[in-house]
Amino acid sequence: STLFPYTTLFRSDLMMSLAFLVAASGFQLPATPARAPVTRAAQPAMLDLFKNVIQGISKMQAGDYDEAAVKAALEQQIANRPAIVYTTTTCPFCKKTTDVLDKLGAMYTNIDLDVVDEGNAKRVELANIVGRTSVPALFIGGTYVGGCNDGGLGGALPLYERGELAPMLTKAGALTSRI
């Protein structure tokens, strides 16, 4: 420890930062009876903690922004586009999702959150809408379909594999039948 005198300071700063993120996310441990048996039911609370920490980090990365205006703009985009997918340019799951949409010949809007203005702010507000910060986030006809493999209605690839994605896109007007 004498070789690295700042190690203790770094650890305490890290712990304080984590404590701040948890507090800022509004996470609270569930009240439990004094003699409650230990069960696996505690796992969801831990998952909520992790989710809240991730959302807190995303919010810090976004900085100051007009939350109501960004959320309203997102909601308007989602409502007014037959199909819209929020992605990042480096995400392999985003690429798989857009590939399946392209394979079907769907007309969709792709918003790369790591390229557009206020992308981090949009990602935070998107997380508030769908309940997670991960991308892709695909909406068809204003409904959150999910990511690549999960979320929402099950995700783009599972819906495609079950033959359910094309009818959804057609109903929303994002896919016209081929002659």
Side-chain angles (χ1 to χ4, degrees), residues 33 38 100-101 127 146:
V38 177
V100 77
L101 292 171

Side-chain angles (χ1 to χ4, degrees), residues 104-115:
L104 289 170
M107 297 175 292
Y108 64 95
T109 303
N110 184 6
I111 307 291
D112 284 319
L113 295 173
D114 56 345
V115 175

Side-chain angles (χ1 to χ4, degrees), residues 13-14 16-25 52-65 67 119-121 123-125 133:
D13 285 348
L14 180 62
M16 290 297 291
S17 296
L18 286 174
F20 171 76
L21 287 173
V22 170
S25 71
N52 289 337
V53 168
I54 296 297
Q55 287 179 340
I57 290 170
S58 294
K59 189 155 177 75
M60 286 177 54
Q61 289 174 333
D64 290 331
Y65 65 93
E67 294 175 18
N120 286 334
R123 192 167 185 164
V124 170
E125 294 308 314
T133 59

Side-chain angles (χ1 to χ4, degrees), residues 5 9 39 64 85 125 167:
L9 179 62
T39 65
D64 290 331
V85 60
E125 294 308 314

Side-chain angles (χ1 to χ4, degrees), residues 91-179:
C91 168
F93 298 104
C94 297
K95 175 80 170 111
K96 287 180 182 181
T97 300
T98 56
D99 283 351
V100 77
L101 292 171
D102 291 340
K103 183 177 182 177
L104 289 170
M107 297 175 292
Y108 64 95
T109 303
N110 184 6
I111 307 291
D112 284 319
L113 295 173
D114 56 345
V115 175
V116 297
D117 290 337
E118 292 191 316
N120 286 334
K122 290 176 182 175
R123 192 167 185 164
V124 170
E125 294 308 314
L126 192 60
N128 289 334
I129 293 169
V130 301
R132 63 191 212 175
T133 59
S134 62
V135 290
L138 175 60
F139 293 84
I140 298 173
T143 299
Y144 176 55
V145 172
C148 181
N149 296 305
D150 60 3
L153 300 177
L157 292 183
L159 289 169
Y160 172 74
E161 290 166 359
R162 291 192 309 258
E164 297 173 17
L165 188 60
M168 291 175 72
L169 290 163
T170 301
K171 183 177 178 184
L175 185 64
T176 56
S177 56
R178 300 176 198 164
I179 299 174

